Amino acid sequence: MTDARGAARPNGGTPHAPGTPCWVSLMVRSLDATEEFYGALFGWEFRPGPQPFGPSVRTLLDGHDVAGIGLLPPDRHLPVAWTPYFASADADATAEAVRSRGGTVGVGPLDVSAAGRLAICSDPCGAVFGIWQAADPLGTSVTGVPGTPAWNELTTFESQTVAKFYETVFGYDEEPEVSADFDHITLRLDGRPVAGVRGVGRAVPRDRGPHWTTYFTVADTDDAVDHVRHLGGQVLTPARDSPHGRVATVADREGARFTLLQGPR
């Protein structure tokens, strides 16, 4: 993880450059319980969202869109997980690039009301991500404040091969971190760090496989961890200091994992 980047909504105020992380979404089994959890933790408010897959809400912070939450159909036994979306000027062309480079397009591309066009994909190792093509530059981005996405990090078997997939699909440059015991690549777009790829070999969780993790900014990681426990969530990795701030990995009531990030002071 290299820096804190966030986006208020897929179409975020001004158009996101293709390849920029621009949105996160979560599919859950109980909207009411999820709203209660994240509303108390991050101060989010909720409004009805587009329904290409069923009932959904968009989350707001001080009136600005932050993320999307949808309801899983009762017959779909899918993992509950946060999914990052990457901006595209042409979702159909990007989806075709995903296929041609060994990835899979599981949903779409399809229109989401008048807001834009999306596809849900997985990379060659199985990590799920989304593509978002905005129809209009509506809304205002909100970044760098508590309760907003800060970063997305991919955990996979080995960084180099998978990073090449994302580079060819989205036009990233890479910045490897050379170390005998640390396999990490930072993906850059026009010189800006936008996401990380971390290879952990056989330490990839068997129950999850390769996966993306979303970091959310908080004012105080230790207080946020205590709040997660109080709200019925789980602490998976205790709060610790890192070169980028104080972090902790937690899960909500349904098991969706995410990382809390308090930036350096």
Side-chain angles (χ1 to χ4, degrees), residues 7-173:
R9 61 183 299 168
N11 49 1
T14 56
H16 291 284
T20 305
C22 60
W23 188 243
V24 291
S25 71
L26 177 65
M27 298 295 289
V28 301
R29 298 182 181 89
S30 171
L31 278 178
D32 289 342
T34 300
E35 288 179 23
E36 182 182 2
F37 178 89
Y38 287 101
L41 180 63
F42 291 141
W44 289 349
E45 297 178 344
F46 306 90
R47 299 290 184 273
Q51 301 185 13
F53 314 118
S56 70
V57 296
R58 54 192 180 96
T59 74
L60 293 89
L61 188 65
D62 296 328
H64 302 300
D65 289 321
V66 174
I69 302 175
L71 186 65
L72 279 169
D75 60 343
R76 299 293 298 276
H77 302 289
L78 299 174
V80 176
W82 283 100
T83 299
Y85 286 71
F86 300 94
S88 170
D90 185 331
D92 294 82
T94 303
E96 184 55 38
V98 168
R99 293 188 188 96
S100 69
R101 287 158 178 80
T104 301
V105 179
V107 176
L110 54 80
D111 293 327
V112 182
S113 62
R117 192 162 174 81
L118 69 74
I120 299 175
C121 311
S122 57
D123 66 30
C125 290
V128 176
F129 65 95
I131 298 167
W132 176 255
Q133 176 189 345
D136 296 294
L138 303 175
T140 302
S141 296
V142 55
T143 62
V145 297
T148 60
W151 184 253
N152 292 287
E153 186 91 0
L154 174 63
T155 300
T156 190
F157 299 110
E158 176 270 327
S159 68
Q160 190 67 45
T161 301
V162 178
K164 289 297 182 187
F165 165 82
Y166 288 97
E167 290 164 25
T168 54
V169 170
F170 292 112
Y172 299 137
D173 296 317

Side-chain angles (χ1 to χ4, degrees), residues 151-260:
W151 184 253
N152 292 287
E153 186 91 0
L154 174 63
T155 300
T156 190
F157 299 110
E158 176 270 327
S159 68
Q160 190 67 45
T161 301
V162 178
K164 289 297 182 187
F165 165 82
Y166 288 97
E167 290 164 25
T168 54
V169 170
F170 292 112
Y172 299 137
D173 296 317
E174 68 176 58
E175 180 187 347
E177 295 185 31
V178 180
S179 171
D181 57 357
F182 188 59
D183 178 14
H184 188 273
I185 290 175
T186 299
L187 300 176
R188 293 179 172 269
L189 190 65
D190 297 327
R192 299 177 294 110
V194 294
V197 181
R198 182 167 61 102
V200 298
R202 296 182 179 179
V204 169
R206 290 187 178 182
D207 61 333
R208 303 188 68 205
H211 59 275
W212 283 94
T213 299
T214 297
Y215 289 63
F216 289 94
T217 300
V218 293
D220 187 307
T221 297
D222 296 271
D223 284 350
V225 164
D226 288 342
H227 211 172
V228 166
R229 288 195 186 98
H230 177 74
L231 292 168
Q234 294 178 288
V235 179
L236 305 176
T237 303
R240 68 191 188 283
D241 292 322
S242 78
H244 313 290
R246 192 158 177 80
V247 297
T249 300
V250 299
D252 65 21
R253 293 172 181 170
E254 293 195 12
R257 304 181 183 200
F258 57 99
T259 295
L260 306 168

